[in-house]
Amino acid sequence: HPYHQHINPFQIYSIPTEWSEGNDDGVIVRPGEWRDVAPVNVMDTLRIRFNTADFHGKYIFHCHILQHEDVGMMSFYDV
């Protein structure tokens, strides 16, 4: 699933070790990269970090596949 969050880009902090050659879709994601969207395989954990200095409040995040977002693969967190 392509993870996307609104407001700020995020930096990849860590990825599953088996992703060194790419994830299930062959997408290569490296720690340290800044992104707007990042792939996340089912049951995997992608650790990210981002700067919250410019905005405090609700950050929306969702799957960037519209059909998934439309059926509820969307939420928010408060900063």
Side-chain angles (χ1 to χ4, degrees):
H1 297 273
Y3 170 86
H4 172 71
Q5 75 177 26
H6 291 221
I7 310 296
N8 289 333
F10 52 88
Q11 186 178 34
I12 305 298
Y13 185 73
S14 68
I15 60 173
T17 55
E18 64 272 11
W19 282 22
S20 62
E21 299 298 319
N23 74 347
D24 287 349
D25 295 323
V27 177
I28 296 176
V29 178
R30 298 204 184 339
E33 289 181 337
W34 285 90
R35 291 181 161 252
D36 180 57
V37 175
V40 181
N41 297 333
V42 174
M43 302 303 293
D44 277 346
T45 300
L46 179 69
R47 295 180 65 203
I48 62 170
R49 60 184 172 190
F50 55 96
N51 187 342
T52 61
D54 296 334
F55 180 80
H56 294 113
K58 289 183 168 60
Y59 282 77
I60 295 171
F61 66 95
H62 59 87
C63 177
H64 226 231
I65 298 171
L66 186 57
Q67 296 88 342
H68 293 182
E69 177 186 334
D70 287 350
V71 295
M73 205 174 230
M74 174 182 234
S75 193
F76 69 89
Y77 47 90
D78 282 314
V79 174

